[in-house]
């Protein structure tokens, strides 16, 4: 079954060449790739997405039990070695780090706004910026990870950074065809749409959870639920073999 689980699936079979194939009428009501086809349903007995076990979101890394696994070392592969990255609990948000966050954010926002103005939405999906635009606690670029509640408070306490953070969420969601303020889909322009790059959506949701952005988190999760139901046909969110379904279940306020 893989990562996609369905209660039923439709099996399409092309008949033998010619209108006299057994079981296929000369004027069939079902067409497939320009040819006649036979279709029927087979009940697989698999659970729909709504009935599968609920993923349990990981708490912030600095507040987690040592047994909780974080970072790229976590893999769901049989026999693979699981590496537990070193947990950091103290703040290291120096003035230099804060300025680095703001500089990278400003540069990326400039690119995103230019791409919005020119309608080059497809380019947005190919840019790499999640580390500083949507900071999390276990990203691959450690210098842009948040390591404590003090880090969260420092970034949130900077008005320019916080405004840019909100704008980044808005623009990336818009590139997916989602109005994050109105909590609804928008008419897709060329290049817009969800690209099945689940890790970006997962990082955004985790970042909003860490930064206590309740309204934005609920809106983005609403979009994620719709993506799972429509684009993904009930399948989960993945980065390789790593399941990212926790993005659906973050709740604020954090305990």
């Amino acid at each position: 079954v893989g990562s996609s689980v369905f209660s039923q699936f439709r099996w399409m079979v092309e008949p033998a060449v010619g209108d006299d194939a057994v079981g296929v009428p000369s004027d069939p009501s079902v067409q497939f790739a320009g040819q006649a086809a036979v279709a029927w349903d087979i009940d697989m007995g698999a659970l729909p997405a709504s009935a599968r076990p609920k993923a349990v979101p990981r708490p912030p890394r600095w507040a987690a039990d040592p047994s909780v696994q974080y970072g790229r070392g976590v893999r769901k592969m049989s026999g693979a070695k699981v590496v537990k990255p070193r947990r950091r609990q103290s703040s290291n948000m120096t003035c230099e780090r804060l300025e680095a966050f703001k500089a990278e954010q400003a540069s990326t926002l400039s690119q995103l706004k230019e791409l919005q103005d020119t309608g080059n939405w497809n380019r947005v999906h190919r840019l790499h910026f999640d580390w500083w635009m949507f900071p999390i606690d276990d990203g691959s670029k450690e210098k842009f990870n948040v390591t404590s509640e003090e880090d969260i408070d420092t970034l949130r306490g900077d008005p320019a950074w916080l405004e840019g953070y909100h704008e980044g969420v808005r623009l990336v969601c818009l590139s997916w065809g989602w109005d994050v303020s109105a909590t609804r889909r928008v008419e897709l322009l060329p290049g817009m749409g969800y690209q099945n790059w689940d890790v970006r959506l997962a990082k955004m949701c985790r970042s909003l959870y860490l930064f206590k952005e309740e309204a934005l988190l609920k809106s983005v999760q609403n979009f994620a639920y719709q993506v799972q139901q429509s684009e993904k046909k009930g399948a989960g969110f993945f980065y390789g073999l790593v399941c990212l379904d926790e993005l659906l279940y973050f709740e604020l306020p954090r305990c």
Side-chain angles (χ1 to χ4, degrees):
V1 176
S3 62
S4 299
V5 183
F6 302 91
S7 58
Q8 291 182 326
F9 73 89
R10 185 166 292 275
W11 189 5
M12 303 297 293
V13 180
E14 291 188 27
V17 178
D19 288 343
D20 58 349
V22 176
V24 181
S26 59
D27 183 21
S29 59
V30 179
Q31 297 290 326
F32 181 73
Q35 299 183 20
V38 179
W40 62 92
D41 290 327
I42 298 178
D43 187 356
M44 299 299 293
L47 294 175
S50 60
R52 295 200 296 270
K54 178 180 176 180
V56 179
R58 296 163 301 155
R61 187 175 177 182
W62 55 85
D65 183 273
S67 64
V68 179
Q69 299 167 0
Y70 292 84
R72 287 194 169 191
V74 180
R75 291 292 182 271
K76 291 189 175 180
M77 293 185 292
S78 178
K81 181 180 180 181
V82 174
V83 179
K84 296 180 181 178
R86 180 168 56 93
R87 296 172 66 232
R88 302 174 64 177
Q89 299 181 11
S90 60
S91 174
N92 63 348
M93 188 58 68
T94 62
C95 292
E96 290 77 14
R97 283 195 72 222
L98 177 59
E99 291 307 312
F101 268 101
K102 294 173 68 174
E104 292 287 1
Q105 184 194 73
S107 176
T108 299
L109 279 177
S110 178
Q111 293 181 72
L112 293 177
K113 290 176 181 178
E114 180 180 354
L115 295 174
Q116 178 189 31
D117 292 342
T118 59
N120 191 1
W121 292 105
N122 191 54
R123 174 64 177 159
V124 175
H125 309 306
R126 301 198 299 270
L127 293 178
H128 297 279
F129 50 70
D130 301 343
W131 305 282
W132 52 83
M133 295 303 289
F134 315 125
I136 57 175
D137 48 351
D138 66 340
S140 60
K141 291 188 181 295
E142 189 172 344
K143 68 179 180 179
F144 292 112
N145 286 350
V146 287
T147 63
S148 66
E149 295 294 343
E150 288 76 17
D151 283 359
I152 299 294
D153 293 341
T154 298
L155 288 169
R156 284 188 57 84
D158 188 291
W161 182 87
L162 189 60
E163 181 180 357
Y165 181 66
H166 293 161
E167 181 69 357
V169 171
R170 184 189 73 83
L171 288 170
V172 172
C173 285
L174 191 58
S175 76
W176 293 331
W178 183 253
D179 185 327
V180 73
S181 297
T183 316
R184 62 176 178 83
R185 299 223 188 202
V186 301
E187 182 178 353
L188 295 182
L189 299 175
M192 281 184 172
Y194 191 68
Q195 305 296 304
N196 288 312
W197 187 234
D198 296 342
V199 69
R200 173 163 291 172
L201 178 59
K203 287 180 178 179
M204 181 186 289
C205 286
R206 184 161 186 84
S207 184
L208 292 170
Y209 165 71
L210 293 174
F211 281 88
K212 309 170 187 176
E213 293 286 347
E214 187 170 8
L216 289 175
L217 176 60
K218 286 182 178 179
S219 178
V220 177
Q221 286 176 317
N222 190 323
F223 171 69
Y225 277 115
Q226 293 189 29
V227 165
Q228 186 178 54
Q229 293 169 5
S230 56
E231 284 92 333
K232 288 183 168 292
K233 309 299 183 186
F237 295 89
F238 282 85
Y239 176 58
L241 296 177
V242 180
C243 181
L244 305 174
D245 283 354
E246 72 170 5
L247 69 89
L248 297 168
Y249 303 110
F250 291 121
E251 294 182 356
L252 290 172
R254 292 194 264 113
C255 297

